[in-house]
Amino acid sequence: MTPLYLHGLPGSAAELALGPSNLHVLDRAVPSFAQLANALPAGPLHLIGFSLGAACALRLAALAPNKIGKLTLISPAAALELGEFLPKMAGAPVFRAARSHAQLSVLTAVQSTLVRLSPTLMTRMLAIGVSEAEAQLITSKPVQTAVQEGLTKHKATYLREISAYVQPWAQHLDHVTCPVTLHHGKADTWAPIEMSELLAARLQNATLHALPDLGHYGALQATLRDIR
């Protein structure tokens, strides 16, 4: 089974250095999820999705069930209509802005400028309110580079997928037939663990591994070490 990694957003392949990992990264620079599903190589594929990359992986598994053999979802961002998640999400202002194209464009322009001028300052802002161990990961070079590339090199993908994410899409979950393994930190402030709990309950064949004391990137680091 061929593994393909779907990075977070804003993010890039640089985040794999937390593992480290030699996974191949799926290029998501296409206009729609349907076109991306059609462009997938012949299966069976093992899609490994982190954060918003997990949301994309779920859509692809629904759109191309004949190509996807299994999913591994790390700190997955579940469909917002599944629960009252936003009050618990550190990135809530971004997701609220994403419901308005104009607001998202302005916010992303500010973020892109900031990350170009000082990726260190940007990641320090992202690390506010997390544990010391999680803060060290967020401000590490791999994550700094991933966030910087996500808001510059992969900016179009970020805008497209986050805009789609805040719209209802839970109906796709009913068409995911492959086995799904979820890895989620109990201390995640970006995607609360309730997201994985509800996904595990909704999906046909899902197993949840709750990771004590780990945050968003802590779960990524721990899971990448075990993926072969």
Side-chain angles (χ1 to χ4, degrees):
M1 197 172 298
T2 304
L4 285 175
Y5 182 71
L6 288 77
H7 58 71
L9 292 170
S12 75
E15 65 201 28
L16 287 171
L18 291 177
S21 172
N22 294 319
L23 293 170
H24 292 289
V25 176
L26 179 64
D27 182 0
R28 284 140 68 191
V30 294
S32 70
F33 291 112
Q35 287 173 287
L36 181 58
N38 288 334
L40 287 172
L45 303 174
H46 172 199
L47 298 187
I48 302 151
F50 169 61
S51 194
L52 281 172
C56 180
L58 284 165
R59 288 177 184 259
L60 294 179
L63 291 168
N66 58 318
K67 294 182 179 181
I68 312 302
K70 67 176 179 178
L71 298 180
T72 295
L73 308 181
I74 309 165
S75 308
L80 293 177
E81 69 264 33
L82 291 179
E84 292 295 323
F85 302 127
L86 279 178
K88 303 176 184 178
M89 298 174 73
V94 175
F95 296 119
R96 291 191 178 102
R99 289 171 170 161
S100 165
H101 178 74
Q103 290 183 25
L104 180 61
S105 296
V106 171
L107 178 58
T108 304
V110 172
Q111 291 176 320
S112 300
T113 301
L114 177 58
V115 82
R116 284 190 183 98
L117 294 174
S118 179
T120 300
L121 177 59
M122 181 70 176
T123 51
R124 282 179 180 171
M125 292 172 62
L126 296 177
I128 294 173
V130 303
S131 68
E132 182 178 349
E134 181 73 2
Q136 288 179 355
L137 290 176
I138 293 174
T139 57
S140 67
K141 185 62 176 178
V143 177
Q144 280 190 20
T145 301
V147 171
Q148 185 176 37
E149 291 181 346
L151 289 168
T152 54
K153 179 180 177 182
H154 301 300
K155 183 177 177 180
T157 300
Y158 171 63
L159 289 170
R160 180 173 58 254
E161 290 197 18
I162 197 169
S163 295
Y165 172 72
V166 299
Q167 303 302 317
W169 59 275
Q171 71 274 11
H172 290 287
L173 301 176
D174 298 327
H175 302 285
V176 177
T177 57
C178 66
V180 182
T181 303
L182 304 107
H183 301 263
H184 213 124
K186 289 186 174 182
D188 196 329
T189 60
W190 289 91
I193 193 169
E194 289 88 349
M195 287 188 158
S196 275
E197 292 170 345
L198 288 169
L199 283 173
R202 176 71 174 263
L203 293 165
Q204 299 177 34
N205 184 5
T207 303
L208 170 59
H209 298 284
L211 307 173
D213 304 320
L214 294 184
H216 203 60
Y217 287 94
L220 175 62
Q221 183 180 60
T223 307
L224 286 176
R225 288 171 174 168
D226 293 335
I227 292 176
R228 297 291 184 270

